[in-house]
Amino acid sequence: MPIEPYFRRVFYYETDRMGFVHHSNYIRWLEEARMDYMRKLGIDCKLLEDQGIIIPVTGVSCEYRQSVYFDDIVEIRVRLTAFNGVRLAFRYEVYDGAALSATGESRHCFLSGGVPVNLKKRFPALCASVMQAVETL
């Protein structure tokens, strides 16, 4: 299920003394893009949290390919690559213009009170729509 990419401008405070974006900011960008993507899929994280369900990060990685600078506009493409009702995984590509600047992955799960939650049982309609979004690499 193609979902339009997430765009954002690079702020000055995100850069370091060498003039390009500090590596730690890419992880924040992946989160921003993931939250935007999930909202577009119909996953209302606030609603889930109000019902006691959280979606923690269980793993994240980012590979840097090309520097990004202050005031650049980056495009972040997100794909849901795995979902089984309890765990989900995303893949990211960060572009600065036509140049691929970074790639990343993140893994998550649904928890309530520290115990895994199966969305297939609690939210079957939501689960079905999310399953349709899973893309294989």
Side-chain angles (χ1 to χ4, degrees):
M1 171 180 188
I3 291 185
E4 56 190 69
Y6 178 75
F7 291 90
R8 75 177 315 278
R9 181 175 300 279
V10 176
F11 294 102
Y12 181 77
Y13 72 85
E14 295 173 311
T15 62
D16 60 19
R17 289 192 55 159
M18 294 178 280
F20 47 85
V21 172
H22 189 268
H23 68 277
S24 65
N25 289 299
Y26 286 84
I27 301 300
R28 290 183 177 127
W29 294 354
L30 301 184
E31 180 177 2
E32 289 175 19
R34 180 178 67 252
M35 295 304 292
D36 180 69
Y37 181 90
M38 291 173 68
R39 191 172 19 261
K40 290 173 181 172
L41 279 181
I43 299 173
D44 184 338
C45 292
K46 175 76 169 105
L47 176 69
L48 290 174
E49 287 183 3
D50 288 347
Q51 296 188 29
I53 298 172
I54 60 171
I55 311 171
V57 175
T58 60
V60 65
S61 66
C62 188
E63 198 163 311
Y64 311 100
R65 298 173 179 260
Q66 180 174 310
S67 297
V68 175
Y69 300 89
F70 166 62
D71 216 31
D72 288 354
I73 303 290
V74 293
E75 172 187 344
I76 305 169
R77 300 176 190 171
V78 182
R79 293 182 301 181
L80 179 61
T81 57
F83 176 66
N84 68 4
V86 177
R87 298 183 181 279
L88 61 166
F90 297 91
R91 179 119 177 95
Y92 310 86
E93 294 176 337
V94 179
Y95 289 88
D96 185 7
L100 180 61
S101 298
T103 59
E105 295 181 2
S106 66
R107 293 174 307 286
H108 311 263
C109 65
F110 294 95
L111 293 179
S112 181
V115 177
V117 173
N118 190 329
L119 286 192
K120 291 177 186 176
K121 295 177 182 174
R122 294 271 301 264
F123 300 97
L126 172 62
C127 185
S129 67
V130 173
M131 290 295 283
Q132 292 177 3
V134 177
E135 300 179 32
T136 56
L137 296 175

